[in-house]
Structures are given as structure tokens and as C-alpha cells.
């Protein structure tokens, strides 16, 4: 009955087309919305008292798919179709649109009319909003940033003709006052980020605010689809990561290492995930890794490590490495900007007496030794550099069967040479032999595999090396020696070998 009702009035393929749009407000494909709804106890759709909220409506797909299930589930209780429709739309489904345009689109998708008080609406309301509201909310500026979402005033202090992108749910300290009711289920695909006014395309994540505000509303169940880069934290996500990892009410997590396996044609660095938060039932989390080739499920504790290792197959390898009592190489790598020169710094093109070389994004230049403000004690050491970014914008388009490179090409610089923030000084040594052996180590599949377990976006930091062992680099450490030292099985070795691309010291393949 429900599918016949909607298919006769509305074409769901429109939502599939919208789902292919690529921006920070990604539309949800109907099949993904239904996969998220499948995580919920299905008896919720047979209860006339269950209330659902989508606090970030774009296409209305969640509310529409919920309506389909309720139309079927409530038929034994409310056999009259129009009575059932009216009850569902007036008393069970609620939404907050993120823009005026998406409010119209959502109402069209749910009520089959942009204006639910019109004759074309399948359920008549007394006003033009129905239960899908949109209210233009102002940002609250302080020192050039919004105190709620961190948006840059220079970017979002706009004329009234333009959308401010100040989302209602996250621009209030009392989200419960928006509808003044309790919700059993909150489900959504919130906006992911906003420009923060930094260099280039710098942006601040905001999806975490939607999760936090939704939890404040204390629903029985919460499900949101969000970027997976929170697994490792960074840029405003460290506190959120910690709260998520230590929240044992997150009972299910579906992980897509490639966002294209979830949103066809949309690239989101670090992949995408959706989860089920269960207010009344705590316990371990069932984590499901999904890619186009396989689905692997494992139940485990989210807070086993300070970050979330996404791969279920990688867990046994990490356990073996840590059990060996390693010294993590993160303790030996240097943080960003080790010598005090930003990425856009440009030195002198011509040498002057007493200068040292500085490696910049445009090549080798010169700077006075006395201008170095940090880590002057390592100027005359041997240093191994890598870029701060994962190759190819996070290797989003890499086919897993081809393997991942994980790091950019390495570079060894010697005494009297330093670098700008463009590069990470990931290894510092007294002797050239140690530096050379460490550079070879970085090219092993073993080291890059372990590094990849702590990287969940396009950025690499020294903390990303938390699972990589710091070895005695007076010796060489080829893969076969590392596999033997840490007791890896043939299956574990095969997994690493299949995932990581060969890499030699020229940056090419062996």
C-alpha cells in the first residue's frame, strides 16, 4: 500500500539524482536512508505514538521513507488510508530544513506539495510549513567567528537575499525548545563543514555539533551519516572523537572507506560512516566495513585505542605489534612547522654568508641561521621529510586492488638544511646511515600499513605514527624481517601485501 501510494504521486529517482551532487551538504540516496532505517527496531513503524525528527532536511528522503514504513505498519491500527496519512504527517514526522530551498524540496518530497496548506498536499495543514519548518537564523559573531558553529564572519555575514547557512539546531543552547516535544528517533545527514576564513579552502567541520545537539534531546535512538575523519580527530574534532569513542551507547557503525561506495560520485576525504546510538542499551559496537568488494563485521570496543582503527582485518596485526612492547615512532617525529617557517614562507634565492638551505614548496632557498626560531638543535642533523598530505587528495580514487601509497615521496636532508611547514620532519638522526635506513623503512609495506590505520583524512601528523614501531635504525628493516619479528600469519601478510602498493626510494614502484 505505502509503495503504491508514493510511486503513483512522486518519482523517487529525483532523489537519486540529487544524491549525486557534490558539496558539503550531500543529499542522501534513498537506498542509504533505508539502510539506516533498517538499523532501528522495526516495531517503531507499527507504533502510532513514535515520533521522528530529521533536524537537517535537504530532500526530505528520511521522512518520506519513514512515512512509507508507517503507512504499512499502522494499517492494522488505522485501516482508513487518509486517516492514516493525516495521523502520520501531523503527529509523527517532523523536520528542520537547512535552507529555504530545501524546505520546499522536503515538503514536496513528503507532502507531495511545496505548501502543505494547498489543495495539492496529501495531508492538509493550516499553514505553509506543516511539520517541516525553516527559520532564518542569524549567526552570532564574536571576534570574526560565529560562537555556535565557528563560521567566518567574512564569509557568512550576508545580505538577506543569500542563505546564511546558520542551521537552527546548532545555533541554540536549548534545542529542546525548537519543537517542545520528545522524539523517539532522530535521523539525519547533516551539513559537514563551513569555510572558516583560513587560507585557500580551509574549512571547519560542523557535523559534530548536530550529533551533540541531537544527543541533548535524549531520543531513544539517534542515527546520523557523517564524515569518518572524526576517527582520528584533528581540526576541531579531538573532543568529539573522545566523546564518541567513550560512548558505549553507539551500538552499530557502518564504515565506508571510500565515500563513493555510499554516495555514488561524491568524494569525501577519509570516507563516510553512519551509526546507531541506543539510549537505553549500552555495550560493545558492531562495526561493519563496507566496500564494493566485501563486507566485514566485528563487535568490539570503540575506545580500545585513542583513535578508531576502522579496519576489522587490521586489528589483529595492530594487537601483535603493540603486544611486542614497541616504542611508537610518534614519540620521535616532530610536529608541524618544526623550524618556525609557514608553508607560504619564501627564503632568499641567492646564498649569503652564513646562510643555511631551506626546503620550501617552490624549491631550495636560503635563510639566515639566526632566523630559525625553533628546534635549532637539529639544524645539523640528518632529517627525513614527507609531505603533510596523503597523496592524491587522500587517495580517494585509488582502486583497492591497486594498493595505497599512503605517503608522499620521502626526502633526506642533511646538516645545514631545514624546511618549511610544507613538510613533516618525520625522522631525525645523528648519522646518515640511520637516516637512510629509516627512509627505507618508511617505504616498507609494513610501516605504511600501520601508518594508514591512524590516518582518516587527507592529513598526516606525527600522531599518525602511533602504531608504527621505532626500530634500531643502525640496521635495515625490510618487510620480511618485520613480518617475522612481529609474528604475522600468512593471511595477515597477504592482507598487508594486497593493501599497500610497492614503493622504492625514487617514489616509484619496486
Amino acid at each position: 500500500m505505502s509503495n503504491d501510494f508514493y510511486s503513483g504521486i512522486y518519482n523517487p529517482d529525483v532523489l537519486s539524482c540529487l544524491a549525486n551532487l557534490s558539496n558539503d551538504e550531500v543529499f542522501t540516496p534513498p537506498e542509504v536512508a533505508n539502510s539506516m532505517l533498517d538499523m532501528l527496531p522495526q516495531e517503531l513503524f507499527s507504533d502510532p505514538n513514535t515520533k521522528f525528527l530529521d533536524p537537517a532536511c535537504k530532500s526530505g528522503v528520511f521522512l518520506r521513507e519513514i512515512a512509507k514504513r508507517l503507512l504499512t505498519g499502522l494499517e492494522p491500527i488505522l485501516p482508513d488510508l487518509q486517516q492514516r496519512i493525516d495521523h502520520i504527517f501531523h503527529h509523527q514526522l517532523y523536520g528542520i530544513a537547512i535552507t529555504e530551498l530545501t524546505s520546499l524540496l522536503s515538503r514536496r518530497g513528503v507532502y507531495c506539495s511545496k505548501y502543505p496548506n494547498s489543495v495539492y498536499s496529501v495531508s492538509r495543514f493550516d499553514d505553509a510549513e506543516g511539520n517541516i519548518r525553516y527559520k532564518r537564523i542569524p549567526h552570532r559573531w564574536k571576534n570574526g567567528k560565529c560562537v555556535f558553529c565557528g563560521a567566518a564572519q567574512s564569509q557568512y555575514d550576508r545580505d538577506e537575499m543569500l542563505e546564511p547557512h546558520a542551521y537552527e539546531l546548532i545555533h541554540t543552547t536549548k534545542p529542546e525548545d525548537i519543537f517542545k516535544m520528545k522524539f523517539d528517533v532522530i535521523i539525519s545527514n547533516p551539513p559537514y563543514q563551513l569555510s572558516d576564513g583560513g587560507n585557500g579552502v580551509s574549512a571547519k567541520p560542523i557535523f559534530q555539533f548536530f550529533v551533540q545537539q541531537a544527543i541533548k534531546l535524549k531520543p531513544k535512538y539517534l542515527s546520523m551519516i557523517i564524515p569518518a575523519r572524526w576517527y582520528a580527530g584533528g581540526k576541531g574534532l579531538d573532543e568529539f572523537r573522545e566523546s564518541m569513542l567513550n560512548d558505549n551507547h553507539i551500538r552499530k557503525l557502518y564504515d565506508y572507506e571510500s565515500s563513493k561506495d555510499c554516495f555514488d560520485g561524491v568524494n569525501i576525504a577519509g570516507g563516510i560512516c553512519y551509526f546507531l546510538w541506543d539510549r537505553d542499551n549500552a555495550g560493545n559496537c558492531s562495526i561493519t566495513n563496507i566496500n564494493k568488494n566485501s563486507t566485514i563485521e566485528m563487535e568490539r570496543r570503540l575506545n580500545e585505542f585513542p583513535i578508531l582503527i576502522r579496519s576489522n582485518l587490521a586489528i589483529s596485526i595492530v594487537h601483535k605489534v603493540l603486544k611486542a612492547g614497541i616504542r611508537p615512532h610518534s614519540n620521535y617525529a616532530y610536529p608541524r612547522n618544526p623550524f618556525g617557517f609557514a608553508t607560504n614562507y619564501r627564503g632568499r634565492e641567492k646564498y649569503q654568508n652564513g646562510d643555511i638551505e631551506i626546503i620550501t614548496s617552490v624549491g631550495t632557498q636560503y635563510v639566515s641561521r639566526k632566523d630559525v626560531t625553533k628546534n635549532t638543535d637539529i639544524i645539523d642533523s640528518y632529517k627525513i621529510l614527507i609531505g603533510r598530505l596523503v597523496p592524491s587528495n587522500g587517495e580517494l580514487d585509488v582502486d583497492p586492488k591497486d594498493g595505497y601509497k599512503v605517503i608522499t615521496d620521502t626526502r633526506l636532508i642533511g646538516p645545514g638544511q631545514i624546511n618549511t611547514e610544507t613538510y613533516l620532519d618525520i625522522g631525525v638522526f645523528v648519522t646518515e646511515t640511520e637516516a637512510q635506513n629509516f627512509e627505507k623503512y618508511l617505504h616498507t609495506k609494513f610501516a605504511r600499513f600501520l601508518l594508514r590505520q591512524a590516518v582518516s583524512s587527507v592529513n598526516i601528523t606525527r600522531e599518525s605514527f602511533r602504531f608504527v614501531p621505532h626500530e634500531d635504525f643502525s640496521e635495515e628493516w625490510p618487510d620480511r624481517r618485520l613480518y617475522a619479528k612481529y609474528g604475522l600469519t600468512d593471511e595477515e601478510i597477504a592482507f598487508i601485501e594486497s593493501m599497500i602498493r610497492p614503493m622504492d626510494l625514487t617514489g616509484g614502484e619496486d
Side-chain angles (χ1 to χ4, degrees), residues 314-361:
I315 288 292
S316 64
I317 298 172
V318 173
H319 282 167
K320 286 183 176 181
V321 170
L322 296 181
K323 189 177 180 180
I326 66 164
R327 296 171 295 163
H329 188 72
S330 54
N331 294 346
Y332 296 86
Y334 279 72
R336 288 176 56 172
N337 199 1
F339 297 103
F341 297 95
T343 296
N344 60 359
Y345 177 82
R346 299 292 178 263
R348 288 190 285 271
E349 292 187 1
K350 293 185 177 180
Y351 173 82
Q352 294 183 11
N353 189 39
D355 277 356
I356 57 176
E357 294 183 357
I358 182 167
I359 313 302
T360 74
S361 60

Side-chain angles (χ1 to χ4, degrees), residues 66-118:
I66 292 168
K68 287 182 178 181
R69 297 185 184 216
L70 289 170
L71 283 167
T72 298
L74 295 182
E75 187 170 10
I77 302 172
L78 298 169
D80 180 80
L81 178 59
Q82 189 59 53
Q83 182 184 6
R84 192 158 72 250
I85 292 171
D86 290 339
H87 176 82
I88 291 168
F89 290 157
H90 285 259
H91 303 291
Q92 294 193 265
L93 301 182
Y94 300 83
I96 305 172
I98 62 172
T99 65
E100 185 173 9
L101 176 62
T102 61
S103 72
L104 300 175
L105 182 60
S106 295
R107 294 181 199 122
R108 176 67 178 85
V110 176
Y111 305 132
C112 302
S113 172
K114 293 183 295 185
Y115 306 109
N117 59 347
S118 76

Side-chain angles (χ1 to χ4, degrees), residues 32 44 46 100-101 106 119 124 166 171 173 188 224-225 278 298 305 344 362 381 395 441 451 478 483 505:
V32 174
L44 290 169
S46 301
E100 185 173 9
L101 176 62
S106 295
V119 295
R124 293 288 295 276
H171 284 75
T173 56
S188 195
M224 287 196 179
I225 184 164
D278 186 336
M298 178 182 291
F305 302 106
N344 60 359
V362 296
S381 299
E395 301 191 292
Y441 176 69
L451 171 62
Y483 294 155
L505 288 180

Side-chain angles (χ1 to χ4, degrees), residues 302-314:
L302 288 178
N303 63 355
E304 181 179 4
F305 302 106
I307 63 172
L308 179 64
I309 295 178
R310 72 191 315 162
S311 170
N312 289 326
L313 290 177

Side-chain angles (χ1 to χ4, degrees), residues 5 9 32 56 81 113 147 173 197 205 231 241 249 285 374 388 391 425 477 488 497-498 500 506:
F5 166 74
I9 303 175
V32 174
L81 178 59
S113 172
V147 299
T173 56
Y231 295 171
R241 173 197 63 195
H249 293 274
C285 182
K374 298 162 62 178
R388 292 191 292 108
D425 291 67
W477 289 92
L488 302 193
E497 292 284 331
S498 68
I500 306 300
T506 67

Side-chain angles (χ1 to χ4, degrees), residues 409-450:
D409 298 340
T410 57
R411 180 169 181 173
L412 190 160
I413 64 174
Q417 293 180 307
I418 61 171
N419 54 278
T420 67
E421 190 181 11
T422 299
Y423 304 94
L424 285 176
D425 291 67
I426 215 64
V428 177
F429 301 92
V430 174
T431 70
E432 187 174 12
T433 296
E434 290 176 298
Q436 291 171 339
N437 287 338
F438 175 71
E439 187 175 21
K440 294 176 184 176
Y441 176 69
L442 278 184
H443 290 75
T444 65
K445 291 187 175 184
F446 176 83
R448 288 182 288 132
F449 172 84
L450 291 171

